[in-house]
Amino acid sequence: MPNITLTLDGEQYSADANDTILTIAREHGVNIPTLCHLDGLSPIGACRLCLVEIEGSPKLQPACTTVPAEGMVIHTNTEKLQRYRRMIVEMMISEGNHHCAVCVVNSSCELQDLASEVGLTHVRFPYLFPGKSLDASHKSYAIDRNRCVLCNRCVRVCHEVEGAHVWDIAGRGLGCTIISGMNQPWGESEACTSCGKCVRVCPTGALIERGVGVSEMHKGEDFLKYIVTARNKKEWVAKGE
Ligand code: FES
């Protein structure tokens, strides 16, 4: 692999030229907040929380999808970035119905954790209270679209890991919403295998198990690393194939 040298928050590192800024930062213990990114799923740069400053570049760039060039000087935690990240989380919260006190993932929610990480104390924007639909037609799971932050993780895990492609995003702008099947009730989607991967990677209380109460659900995407590693090593391919 070709190697490059770059500067990250004042420290010089050499790195694999094919790795993203996020991967390199994590390898060296530099924390960059993320939401749509999940190791094992393709990076899409949707949430913009991982924006970093690159000297000489007029625009902020998402660390999860940007591959650095030789000699790049990157800043990951400037005052400007802190302000932008806080604003992004504020906009996400004001755009949906995120009422933690009555949410099943309260205290196990990545949006909640991010709000505290970026130092959010209040939301300056008017709440939109979108009134999107809730679908509890699946026998085991439910989706509350008002709590969705459109990170696209459910769409990617279902398509890339489970191979079922139940989920998609429909609409534009504020009207964007997650749909199942051909925009039909989740319980009627014949492609759904009921594996629950979408529920486990969802960072908020949008995708949940049915029957759990407030603060009772704990998500976890550990399975993803296990599946992706095993696939890369072809551990499930029969000998001789
Ligand atoms: S984590 Fe990079 S854009 Fe969402």
Side-chain angles (χ1 to χ4, degrees):
M1 299 274 179
N3 259 25
I4 53 160
T5 307
L6 74 161
T7 307
L8 210 51
D9 294 340
E11 298 286 332
Q12 271 211 341
Y13 300 108
S14 76
D16 186 326
N18 297 317
D19 279 344
T20 62
I21 295 174
L22 181 66
T23 305
I24 298 164
R26 286 187 172 169
E27 266 172 17
H28 296 287
V30 176
N31 177 48
I32 299 176
T34 56
L35 186 64
C36 67
H37 179 84
L38 205 51
D39 284 338
L41 300 182
S42 57
I44 56 165
C47 73
R48 315 311 270 185
L49 265 163
C50 67
L51 288 176
V52 293
E53 280 188 69
I54 298 173
E55 287 189 11
S57 166
K59 290 197 302 186
L60 302 177
Q61 302 290 347
C64 66
T65 54
T66 306
V67 176
E70 172 63 38
M72 252 187 192
V73 180
I74 302 159
H75 303 280
T76 71
N77 199 23
T78 60
E79 207 271 321
K80 179 180 178 179
L81 290 170
Q82 290 171 10
R83 214 172 54 241
Y84 273 53
R85 285 173 188 153
R86 217 162 25 239
M87 189 165 65
I88 291 168
V89 177
E90 256 181 282
M91 288 195 282
M92 281 179 184
I93 290 177
S94 64
E95 215 178 297
N97 291 352
H98 299 284
H99 306 297
C100 306
V102 290
C103 183
V104 297
V105 298
N106 184 14
S107 77
S108 181
C109 169
E110 288 183 47
L111 185 61
Q112 202 178 38
D113 292 345
L114 270 170
S116 121
E117 184 179 341
V118 300
L120 192 68
T121 53
H122 62 284
V123 173
R124 295 165 296 167
F125 307 123
Y127 286 91
L128 296 183
F129 300 123
K132 291 182 178 172
S133 64
L134 191 147
D135 180 359
S137 60
H138 193 284
K139 62 183 188 312
S140 308
Y141 309 114
I143 177 168
D144 181 353
R145 295 180 171 84
N146 300 294
R147 291 192 167 136
C148 172
V149 290
L150 295 169
C151 68
N152 208 285
R153 286 187 187 179
C154 56
V155 177
R156 283 174 287 156
V157 81
C158 188
H159 176 65
E160 296 171 10
V161 181
E162 181 63 6
H165 201 130
V166 171
W167 299 107
D168 239 314
I169 293 183
R172 302 175 77 95
L174 279 176
C176 269
T177 194
I178 293 285
I179 57 166
S180 47
M182 300 298 283
N183 201 5
Q184 63 203 108
W186 188 0
E188 291 174 20
S189 164
E190 288 179 12
C192 179
T193 62
S194 301
C195 68
K197 290 184 178 68
C198 54
V199 176
R200 290 177 66 184
V201 300
C202 171
T204 69
L207 283 160
I208 54 169
E209 285 168 14
R210 288 181 55 157
V212 288
V214 171
S215 305
E216 281 184 357
M217 194 174 163
H218 300 284
K219 303 217 174 182
E221 66 269 355
D222 298 355
F223 73 95
L224 201 53
K225 191 172 172 208
Y226 167 73
I227 292 178
V228 174
T229 309
R231 261 189 202 166
N232 288 344
K233 291 184 181 168
K234 300 196 182 325
E235 285 177 2
W236 291 317
V237 176
K239 284 201 169 73
E241 269 185 46

